[in-house]
Amino acid sequence: MSGQASDPSGVSEAAATARRDLSRALYRARISIAWERLWPSLARLLTVFGFFLAASWAGAWISLPTALRIAGLVLFAALGLAALFPLIRFRWPTRDDALRRIDRNAGIPHRPATELTDTLVSEDPVSVALWQAQRARTHAALKRVRAGLPSPRLALYDPWALRALVAILMVATFIAAGDERMERVAAAFDLNGAFGGSNVRVDAWINPPPYTGRPPIILSGKDMPSSDASISVPVGSILVTRASSSGLDVSVSGGVTEAPVTDQVPQGTDERHFKIGGDGTARVRSPSSQPLWTFKAVPDRAPTIALAKDPERQAKGALALSYQLEDDYGVTQAEARFALRDNGGDKPAAQPLYDPPQFALGLPNARTRNGIGQTVKDLSENPYAGADVTLTLVAKDEAGNEGRSEPFDMKLPERLFVKPLARALIEQRRILALDVGQKPLVQIALEALQIAPETFTPEKGYYLGLHNIASQLGRANTKEAMRETVDNLWALAVAIEDGNISDVEKALQAAQDALKQALENGASDEEIKKLTDNLRAALDNFIRQLAQQMRENPQQLARPLDPSTKMLRQQDLQNMIDRMERLSRSGDKDAARQLLDQMQQMLEGLQMARPGQGGDQDGDQALAELGDIIRKQQQLRDKTYKEGQDQRGSQGNQGALGDLQKDQQGLRQRLQKLLDDMKKNGMSPDQPGDTGDQGDDGQQQGQGGDPLGDANAAMGDADGRLGQGRADGAVDAQGRAIEALRKGAQSLAQRQGDGDGPGNRPGRQQAGGNDTDPLGRPLRGREYSDDLSVKIPGEIDVQRVRRILEELRRRLGEAQRPQIELDYIERLLKDY
């Protein structure tokens, strides 16, 4: 019955509809068959992919090193390819495959769908009629052509139902992964650790230098700085990166460089350190990545230091410095440096035997960010004492940065020697110490001092000492030998001036310095107690020696005192030492150090009568100024004498005499200013002389009743003769001025030694009035304070603090108190 297809002309409309339905059914059948052939392979592929997602969401990749990640990816790729391998045999379903499917789903025997596709090749009318009748019955039997739903029969290909297990794992790991689902999946393909996970912890932070006092900067976690902005850190900060697994890889650039790991690394972790020396970047790449960090290195500024006020001379020639300190992280060291001032001229450069002095400065705090410091240093024994120097203050921070003050020209304070021989020895000592080339002149001066020993050096021991020093200097050919001579000159001058008390003062000063240094270095309580005991012993010895000297000079006991003067007792000083020890033991070492400075200043200006020394600071300053004028006048006389010699040799220079005249006028102005200041302070001579009247020859005649007035007149005479070009006459006038100045200095020193100082003149009170002792120190029962009004805790304050601490410790031991209160009390005690 089958043959070439034909289209009979008598096909009814029902037959056409049936053919359309059959065509659509055939299409659906072919799709269903294709799906049944494809789905098993696709199901296997999806099972592999589902298992990959489940493993990724479980965090399997983030804890694996790169090699195992690659191996896992290869394994899953191979399983995927194996699942797709059966598709190689895939063929698209044919028409016959579709007809057979429709025949099978129709439920009617004799292949009804296939029958409808048959064609009639006979043209016999009877055959055509029978054919049409048969087709009509077939159409009626089929009613509706159905392709049926696909049935891939997965159970045949997955008898263990692994697809269901994978689905359950996917649901569980999907929930467990939370917001990190994409990161965990991407971690499988991150062969350089570009994505993070939760199973590997990476911590990063920056440790600023300890001296900055700044807390660490955390770079990892929720509170980390924004990756878009740069992170400002001090220069020298350390970037610390730590991972909970091995393989820590960090890339850096710019001023960020690798640094050795000095701390102990916890077991099972990997840690690397980097020093931030300039602007740069850093990034943790693996095992778990962090954003790129950009660092801006903030340089440590150099500290600044400047004089808060001009240096001051204290009693006995000590130097008092007050200075302003400032630094961004705190000054840790400061010192004062001196340099010998260059006075210019054509003279060859001096060759000092000693380096200029320099000493450490006290700081208000261990790390002073902004404050004013004070230091009192006794340089009276230094060979540079009395010399013209340039002072420079230097401040350093812990990073090594250094700041300097503006140079300040000054005359270094010196101890005042009243006795002429002692003063002359000190002057020659300074000349030799500051210039080796002056040795011949010093030898001549020492030989001259040995003339007429019965008049000038009645003490045989002093004369023998002077003779030995002069002989020693003549034999000295090295700097070491000359330094020994300088030391011997000081020892002899002090012995002539003070007797034996100098050694006692040295011991007291050494005990004070040792205790001060221990307080600054935070020494133990045992060491502080030992040093305070030493200070007590040195103070007792000093007071005992002072009392003995007073007994040997009873005229000092007759000195009239101002009625408002308050006496400073030895017990007051002992009480201060006891208080210092208690403050140190309680931990307040700064207050103890300030109290020690206060006591040192009190001892410097102690209002106790001493032979040859008064407590009058104005008188001391006047003597110091007068001594400098004498020295400068002597130097000017030597220059004038040399110029006179040149004049006689027809080599004179009128311009040089003009310069000498200007120097002479300057010295006379200094003397006149000194006389004015003495008069203002109630220290004017009893019979003041005027400047004198100028005679016909230009010489000024002094009144003769006052040595300083005579010196003023002689200076005016020398000024006039230099203006006339008469160098020889000026030398004579300058000699008279020097002699008068020395007599005036001796007279002034004698009046001070006899108690004729400002503190003993009517109407002049000691500093501090009725509420203070002679040095302005508050009376007993009041709190001490230093010059900057820094309050020192009193006895009552210290006792109150101890009671509070005892009460806190008692409450901490009560277990029934709330835990939050106990924690707070414990923090308070730790902070203290």
Side-chain angles (χ1 to χ4, degrees):
M1 292 181 61
S2 298
Q4 184 178 357
S6 63
D7 185 15
S9 58
V11 178
S12 63
E13 183 179 352
T17 300
R19 284 199 297 271
R20 287 196 298 272
D21 292 342
L22 179 60
S23 178
R24 288 195 291 271
L26 288 173
Y27 176 76
R28 290 195 295 273
R30 297 175 74 175
I31 294 297
S32 297
I33 295 171
W35 177 253
E36 290 174 353
R37 294 178 180 177
L38 287 173
W39 179 241
S41 298
L42 294 178
R44 286 190 292 267
L45 178 63
L46 291 177
T47 300
V48 173
F49 182 69
F51 186 69
F52 170 78
L53 290 179
S56 299
W57 289 338
W61 305 113
I62 57 180
S63 59
L64 293 178
T66 303
L68 292 181
R69 292 184 189 182
I70 296 175
L73 288 177
V74 171
L75 175 61
F76 276 103
L79 292 176
L81 292 175
L84 294 176
F85 183 77
L87 294 180
I88 296 177
R89 299 190 300 270
F90 175 78
R91 297 292 183 271
W92 187 257
T94 62
R95 179 183 177 86
D96 293 339
D97 295 333
L99 287 175
R100 285 194 293 272
R101 181 178 182 85
I102 294 175
D103 289 340
R104 186 171 60 253
N105 292 335
I108 300 175
H110 306 301
R111 302 182 297 135
T114 303
E115 184 178 345
L116 289 177
T117 61
D118 291 343
T119 57
L120 181 65
V121 296
S122 175
E123 297 180 356
D124 180 61
V126 177
S127 298
V128 171
L130 291 174
W131 170 256
Q132 292 178 349
Q134 177 63 26
R135 291 180 65 86
R137 286 196 296 270
T138 303
H139 286 160
L142 284 174
K143 294 182 180 179
R144 183 179 180 183
V145 180
R146 299 175 181 174
L149 296 175
S151 179
R153 298 179 294 175
L154 290 178
L156 296 177
Y157 303 98
D158 185 15
W160 293 334
L162 293 178
R163 58 190 183 280
L165 176 61
V166 171
I168 294 173
L169 291 175
M170 288 180 62
V171 173
T173 55
F174 179 86
I175 297 173
D179 296 335
E180 297 180 354
R181 300 183 191 97
M182 293 303 299
E183 288 83 354
R184 295 189 180 192
V185 172
F189 305 96
D190 179 24
L191 302 183
N192 290 321
F195 299 90
S198 61
N199 285 3
V200 174
R201 181 180 179 86
V202 174
D203 294 318
W205 66 92
I206 295 175
N207 288 329
Y211 65 84
T212 64
R214 296 180 56 178
I217 302 174
I218 306 301
L219 300 180
S220 56
K222 295 183 179 179
D223 298 331
M224 62 180 293
S226 173
S227 59
D228 299 332
S230 60
I231 305 170
S232 297
V233 297
V235 170
S237 298
I238 300 297
L239 168 64
V240 181
T241 57
R242 179 183 295 172
S244 59
S245 65
S246 59
L248 180 61
D249 184 15
V250 183
S251 60
V252 296
S253 64
V256 184
T257 57
E258 184 92 18
V261 179
T262 57
D263 302 332
Q264 185 176 1
V265 180
Q267 187 175 4
T269 62
D270 194 3
E271 184 172 314
R272 296 178 67 183
H273 291 187
F274 302 88
K275 184 175 182 180
I276 303 176
D279 296 349
T281 61
R283 180 184 179 184
V284 178
R285 301 178 59 195
S286 68
S288 180
S289 175
Q290 299 291 327
L292 179 69
W293 299 308
T294 302
F295 303 115
K296 179 177 178 57
V298 179
D300 185 1
R301 294 187 295 108
T304 60
I305 184 171
L307 286 170
K309 58 182 179 180
D310 290 349
E312 296 178 348
R313 181 187 185 277
Q314 300 295 301
K316 299 192 302 183
L319 175 64
L321 297 177
S322 180
Y323 37 90
Q324 174 77 40
L325 298 158
E326 185 176 355
D327 186 57
D328 44 5
Y329 298 120
V331 177
T332 57
Q333 296 179 24
E335 63 180 2
R337 298 177 181 175
F338 297 89
L340 195 62
R341 196 191 316 169
D342 185 8
N343 294 322
D346 299 332
K347 295 192 303 182
Q351 303 176 35
L353 283 174
Y354 299 86
D355 293 331
Q358 61 181 42
F359 56 87
L361 300 176
L363 302 177
N365 303 295
R367 298 181 186 276
T368 302
R369 295 199 174 193
N370 194 341
I372 295 179
Q374 279 189 322
T375 297
V376 177
K377 184 69 173 179
D378 186 4
L379 296 176
S380 59
E381 190 175 345
N382 193 284
Y384 280 77
D388 294 327
V389 296
T390 299
L391 166 66
T392 303
L393 305 182
V394 180
K396 296 181 180 180
D397 58 18
E398 193 164 338
N401 298 313
E402 183 177 285
R404 294 172 176 258
S405 67
E406 291 293 331
F408 182 83
D409 293 335
M410 60 174 292
K411 177 186 174 183
L412 204 61
E414 60 180 326
R415 177 180 174 179
L416 299 178
F417 288 83
V418 177
K419 298 180 179 180
L421 180 57
R423 190 166 62 246
L425 292 176
I426 290 300
E427 182 176 357
Q428 297 306 315
R429 169 182 181 263
R430 179 173 52 250
I431 293 174
L432 177 61
L434 299 185
D435 190 0
V436 177
Q438 299 296 323
K439 175 186 172 182
L441 296 179
V442 174
Q443 282 183 285
I444 295 173
L446 293 180
E447 293 292 342
L449 289 175
Q450 299 179 60
I451 299 175
E454 66 280 357
T455 302
F456 298 105
T457 54
E459 292 287 341
K460 295 181 179 179
Y462 298 156
Y463 176 78
L464 292 176
L466 178 58
H467 179 75
N468 289 334
I469 291 175
S471 301
Q472 181 185 25
L473 180 59
R475 296 190 303 269
N477 296 321
T478 64
K479 287 188 175 182
E480 288 297 330
M482 283 186 277
R483 290 193 189 103
E484 186 177 353
T485 302
V486 169
D487 295 339
N488 292 337
L489 283 171
W490 171 263
L492 179 58
V494 171
I496 295 173
E497 185 75 13
D498 293 340
N500 297 327
I501 197 168
S502 178
D503 294 336
V504 177
E505 289 181 351
K506 285 183 179 180
L508 179 59
Q509 184 65 42
Q512 292 175 353
D513 293 342
L515 180 57
K516 184 176 182 180
Q517 185 175 4
L519 290 173
E520 290 177 350
N521 296 336
S524 62
D525 293 341
E526 292 77 9
E527 185 177 355
I528 296 296
K529 185 178 186 318
K530 178 181 177 181
L531 293 176
T532 52
D533 290 341
N534 293 341
L535 180 58
R536 287 190 188 93
L539 182 61
D540 290 342
N541 196 16
F542 173 75
I543 298 296
R544 200 163 42 246
Q545 185 73 27
L546 194 61
Q548 179 180 354
Q549 198 172 55
M550 293 293 292
R551 288 193 296 271
E552 294 174 355
N553 295 270
Q555 68 275 12
Q556 297 296 323
L557 299 176
R559 286 183 55 179
L561 294 177
D562 195 313
S564 63
T565 300
K566 305 299 181 182
M567 299 304 296
L568 180 63
R569 303 180 305 166
Q570 182 179 358
Q571 186 60 38
D572 295 332
L573 297 174
Q574 294 290 354
N575 291 340
M576 292 182 70
I577 297 177
D578 295 340
R579 171 174 261 177
M580 276 188 286
E581 186 175 0
R582 288 195 299 270
L583 288 172
S584 176
R585 193 164 52 246
S586 64
D588 197 353
K589 287 185 169 55
D590 289 338
R593 186 172 65 251
Q594 292 174 359
L595 195 57
L596 178 61
D597 291 339
Q598 206 172 51
M599 189 185 74
Q600 186 174 2
Q601 293 178 9
M602 292 169 63
L603 290 173
E604 288 285 343
L606 193 59
Q607 290 283 352
M608 295 182 177
R610 293 181 55 184
Q613 291 191 15
D616 180 11
Q617 186 171 352
D618 293 334
D620 289 346
Q621 292 179 350
L623 278 174
E625 177 68 9
L626 193 56
D628 191 54
I629 292 176
I630 294 173
R631 183 167 60 255
K632 294 295 178 60
Q633 183 65 70
Q634 180 66 53
Q635 294 174 355
L636 183 59
R637 183 173 183 268
D638 294 341
K639 293 180 181 178
T640 306
Y641 175 78
K642 182 179 179 181
E643 188 62 30
Q645 295 291 102
D646 293 340
Q647 280 185 340
R648 284 193 293 272
S650 300
Q651 298 177 1
N653 185 350
Q654 192 64 29
L657 289 178
D659 294 338
L660 295 176
Q661 183 183 15
K662 291 180 182 179
D663 293 342
Q664 185 64 72
Q665 292 172 351
L667 285 177
R668 190 183 184 196
Q669 292 173 0
R670 285 182 60 182
L671 178 60
Q672 187 61 50
K673 182 177 182 301
L674 175 62
L675 291 172
D676 295 339
D677 292 342
M678 291 172 63
K679 183 177 181 180
K680 182 171 58 177
N681 295 328
M683 300 170 57
S684 296
D686 296 334
Q687 297 178 350
D690 56 20
T691 58
D693 297 328
Q694 187 170 344
D696 296 338
D697 59 353
Q699 179 176 354
Q700 288 186 342
Q701 304 297 330
Q703 299 298 319
D706 174 27
L708 295 183
D710 294 343
N712 194 3
M715 286 182 175
D717 183 17
D719 180 14
R721 292 179 183 274
L722 286 172
Q724 297 172 3
R726 299 167 57 186
D728 292 340
V731 170
D732 295 337
Q734 289 170 342
R736 295 196 305 273
I738 293 173
E739 183 65 23
L741 287 171
R742 287 175 176 169
K743 290 181 179 180
Q746 188 172 4
S747 176
L748 179 59
Q750 182 65 33
R751 285 200 301 273
Q752 279 193 270
D754 292 339
D756 187 18
N760 299 316
R761 286 182 291 275
R764 188 175 179 94
Q765 296 183 355
Q766 298 296 329
N770 294 329
D771 294 334
T772 59
D773 61 19
L775 298 174
R777 183 177 68 89
L779 296 179
R780 298 184 62 190
R782 301 180 182 272
E783 292 178 347
Y784 294 93
S785 62
D786 61 10
D787 293 340
L788 299 176
S789 299
V790 178
K791 186 176 181 182
I792 307 301
E795 184 75 21
I796 298 178
D797 296 329
V798 175
Q799 293 177 358
R800 186 182 299 113
V801 170
R802 288 178 179 173
R803 287 197 299 269
I804 292 174
L805 289 175
E806 291 173 0
E807 178 64 20
L808 288 175
R809 294 189 181 99
R810 185 187 66 80
R811 294 189 180 186
L812 183 61
E814 296 176 354
Q816 67 274 15
R817 291 185 177 274
Q819 185 61 38
I820 187 173
E821 180 180 354
L822 295 177
D823 294 341
Y824 176 68
I825 294 175
E826 186 176 1
R827 288 197 302 273
L828 286 178
L829 291 174
K830 285 183 178 179
D831 293 341
Y832 181 80

